[in-house]
Amino acid sequence: MVAAGTLAEMSFPEHRARRLRRTPALRELVRETEVRPSDLIAPLFVKEGLEEPAPISSMPGHAQHTIESLRKEAAEIRQRGVLAFVLFGIPVRKDAEGSEAWNPDGIGQRAVAALRADFGDDAVVIADLCLDEYTDHGHCGVLNDRNEVDNDQTLERYRWIAAAQADAGAHVVAPSGMMDGQVAAIRGALDPAGHTDVAILAYAAKFASAFYGPFREAAEGAPRFGDRTGYQEDPANADEALREIHADIDEGADIVMVKPALPYLDIVRAAKDTARIPIAAYNVSGEYAMLKAAAQNGWLDERRAVLEVLTSIRRAGADMILTYHAKDAADWLR
Ligand code: PBG
């Protein structure tokens, strides 16, 4: 038998962590990681030719928007303190090249212009820059005669898209196609066009992930044949992800992103530890759908699970999080 006093004094002085967990005020005092609404970026979908917003079945709470419903939804989100939006356009007309993507009057550009008209500089309007929603084959670039995505032909189109998005008023363009050299190519198109102020958020470490499934319903961008393993990264490769991140920084990226978030928190941490620029993480559609489905079944407490997920992504080192939970989370965080 050991006397209680002896045990406390001698044996485990380093084990007294519970002292700082006793009260809400103490816990607040020692909390290391905060999530603020302004750390969140809300992804929104806008589809040409819709009369009414069309709910996305695999992403409860989200819809393909009309320009009008987009404006309304963005205003509600902005009102909750979320300052940034990333926009995905879905055109009526798709072709092999994805030419609606750089149409100055295309759906993506109209959506950007609408939000700039509503918010001016009181929100950050980010345009996703890719081709998969715009091509009839659903790949993120143009194809060569062997039906492979041609890197450099695709870069030409990305340059045209960047210029159109910047002309429409995007504060930030976000290339998500994982072509080699895309950041340099886009920077090289923006600057001579007078858009030196438009920033690039590079999807730098984007993995070939099963967790994009619901997004492909939302954005109607599933590849008609094959998959994206020829341009997106192998989930097994961490060193390669860091090479991609640093290559994008060298090419002039202003913000680098890791995507998806939860299965790749080690990459987020490594990026934060080695890159001295803002790090974004994309809490993708499948991560959202998984949590929503469990919550709808009563298997998880949605609010607690969402806030835990967002906290963990921030704790891993993300400065900002693209998340479909943005609107709800902002309500809970206020
Ligand atoms: C491609 C793109 C994708 C996502 C964002 N941009 C899909 C893909 O690469 O297949 C996925 C986002 C999500 O799942 O939430 N333009």
Side-chain angles (χ1 to χ4, degrees), residues 93-103 131 134-135:
R93 199 175 57 81
K94 301 189 187 222
D95 58 27
E97 277 195 286
S99 59
E100 276 299 299
W102 57 86
N103 177 355
L131 281 170
Y134 294 92
T135 52

Side-chain angles (χ1 to χ4, degrees), residues 130 132 176 206 212 215-216 228 232 259 284-285 324:
C130 201
D132 57 322
S176 63
K206 176 172 176 179
Y212 307 148
F215 174 94
R216 293 179 185 174
R228 305 210 203 288
Q232 299 180 347
K259 176 185 176 185
V284 300
S285 59
Y324 302 97

Side-chain angles (χ1 to χ4, degrees), residues 22 59 61 82 88 104 112 140 153 157 193 200 207 210 224 232 238 277 301 303 322:
R22 280 179 52 229
M59 300 176 69
V82 174
F88 296 92
V112 166
C140 296
Q153 290 295 319
R157 274 77 189 171
I200 300 176
F207 290 88
R224 298 282 175 274
Q232 299 180 347
I277 74 170
D301 175 332
R303 175 183 172 141
L322 290 80

